[in-house]
Amino acid sequence: MIKKCLFPAAGYGTRFLPATKAMPKEMLPVVNKPLIQYGVEEALEAGLKEIAMVTGRGKRALEDHFDISYELEHQIKGTDKEKYLVGIRRLIEECSFSYTRQVEMKGLGHAILSGRPLIGDEPFAVVLADDLCFNIDGDGVLQQMVKLYNQFRCSIVAIQEVPAEEVSKYGVISGEMIRDDIYRVNSMVEKPKPEDAPSNLAIIGRYILTPDIFDLIEQTEPGKGGEIQITDALMKQAQDGCVIAYKFKGKRFDCGGAEGYIEATNFCYEKFYKTGKAF
C-alpha cells in the first residue's frame, strides 16, 4: 500500500511576485484555505497519511500551518470562529508531517530526490500544490491514481489534453492506448515546442512513483535550464519497464498563475464556501 505523499514546496513562485516575495506560494489562499491544505486533504482522502514536504528558505509558514497555534485557539475557544479550524485540526490529528530542505533549486527531479530520506524504499505519491484538482462527483484525482497503482504496480503520471500552443509549458507524453483514459508511455518530452511535441497530452502535478525513481534521478543529467527533470528519469523508467499515463476525471486549475488562481477561487467560492463546506 502507498502511505506517503511528497510535496515539493521549495520553489520561489516567481509567477506570483511580489505576493510570493515573503510568503510561500503554497500558502496563497483560495478563498480562506491555502493551496497546500487542499493538497494534503486530497492526499488524506486517498489514504496517504504520511506527509513529507521538501521546503526551502522562507518556507517556515508551511510547518507552522500544520501545527497547533495555542494562543490563537485559546482566543477563539467557545466562539463561532472555532468552526474555521475544524478542517486543519483534522489534518493535524490524522496525518504525520516531516520536512526537509532543498538547498539549491535544481528542478522538480532534484526536489523529489531531496525527499528521499523522508520516503525511503517504498512507492509514494507526489503532489504539486499549485495544481489544484477537484472531482466533485467522485474520487479525488490522487485517490483515482492510487486505485490504478493497485492494479498496475508501476509509476503513474496524471495527464490532460491541452491546446497545442500551450504544450511548451508542460512535460508531454505519447504512448500506446490501453483504454480510453490510460496510456503506456513510450515517449516523454519536457516543454517541447508545439511543432516538436509528440502529442497534446500534458503531465500535471500528480504522480505516483516507485522507489527506483530515486536512483534514476541520481543518474539523470541536467536538462533544460540546467535543471534535473523528473520527465527524464521517468523516460528511463518507461524504457526499462512501465510508466502509465492516466487521463484523470475531474478539473484542474493552474494556481501558479493569476488566471488559473482566480478561476480556482471563483470555483471554490461557489462550490464550497457558499455551501459551508470550505472549512
Side-chain angles (χ1 to χ4, degrees):
M1 289 180 60
I2 300 177
K3 300 178 293 183
K4 296 183 179 180
C5 187
L6 182 68
F7 287 79
Y12 295 120
T14 51
R15 285 194 288 163
F16 249 110
L17 287 170
T20 49
K21 182 175 181 290
M23 179 176 71
K25 67 175 180 178
E26 295 83 8
M27 288 300 296
L28 289 169
V30 176
V31 190
N32 68 332
K33 190 188 297 182
L35 283 167
I36 191 73
Q37 185 172 335
Y38 286 100
V40 174
E41 287 173 346
E42 185 182 339
L44 179 58
E45 178 200 17
L48 312 184
K49 296 185 177 183
E50 298 180 36
I51 308 300
M53 293 193 187
V54 178
T55 68
R57 290 175 295 280
K59 300 274 187 167
R60 283 294 302 275
L62 294 170
E63 296 183 42
D64 291 340
H65 185 68
F66 295 103
D67 196 1
I68 295 172
S69 175
Y70 290 101
E71 183 177 344
L72 171 64
E73 298 209 13
H74 174 74
Q75 289 294 324
I76 66 174
K77 187 175 182 180
T79 73
D80 63 351
K81 292 185 175 63
E82 276 193 292
K83 66 183 180 184
Y84 296 116
L85 294 181
V86 170
I88 187 62
R89 280 174 175 165
R90 176 175 176 244
L91 297 181
I92 293 170
E93 289 169 1
E94 295 192 24
C95 298
S96 64
F97 295 86
S98 57
Y99 304 87
T100 191
R101 281 197 175 192
Q102 183 185 16
V103 178
E104 297 179 82
M105 304 300 109
K106 294 182 179 179
L108 178 58
H110 182 263
I112 291 172
L113 182 61
S114 299
R116 187 176 197 171
L118 306 179
I119 299 298
D121 187 27
E122 57 186 279
F124 62 103
V126 176
V127 169
L128 306 187
D130 53 1
D131 269 351
L132 189 56
C133 296
F134 298 104
N135 184 30
I136 299 298
D137 300 319
D139 295 341
V141 174
L142 210 53
Q143 190 170 9
Q144 296 169 43
M145 294 176 70
V146 167
K147 289 181 177 179
L148 205 60
Y149 174 81
N150 292 336
Q151 177 182 352
F152 287 95
R153 299 286 172 172
C154 67
S155 290
I156 303 170
V157 297
I159 56 169
Q160 68 174 163
E161 294 187 38
V162 299
E165 62 271 17
E166 294 185 14
V167 293
S168 60
K169 301 177 183 177
Y170 301 92
V172 178
I173 71 101
S174 68
E176 171 194 350
M177 183 182 286
I178 298 174
R179 70 182 197 205
D180 288 349
D181 57 351
I182 299 176
Y183 297 79
R184 183 186 178 109
V185 175
N186 56 37
S187 178
M188 192 177 295
V189 183
E190 182 68 23
K191 298 180 179 178
K193 295 178 181 178
E195 60 270 23
D196 297 331
S199 73
N200 69 332
L201 297 172
I203 302 169
I204 65 108
R206 298 291 183 276
Y207 306 77
I208 289 180
L209 303 174
T210 51
D212 56 309
I213 196 70
F214 291 124
D215 289 336
L216 294 172
I217 295 172
E218 284 186 328
Q219 298 162 18
T220 300
E221 295 295 323
K224 282 194 173 183
E227 296 185 339
I228 298 173
Q229 305 291 351
I230 187 62
T231 48
D232 292 338
L234 281 166
M235 192 60 232
K236 292 180 186 177
Q237 206 173 45
Q239 291 168 346
D240 296 339
C242 181
V243 174
I244 295 296
Y246 172 57
K247 195 184 292 184
F248 61 91
K249 297 176 181 66
K251 191 170 181 61
R252 170 249 182 186
F253 299 94
D254 177 9
C255 291
E259 184 177 350
Y261 178 78
I262 292 167
E263 288 176 0
T265 299
N266 291 337
F267 178 88
C268 291
Y269 177 75
E270 292 293 331
K271 296 291 184 180
F272 306 127
Y273 194 83
K274 285 176 70 174
T275 60
K277 299 177 182 177
F279 314 132

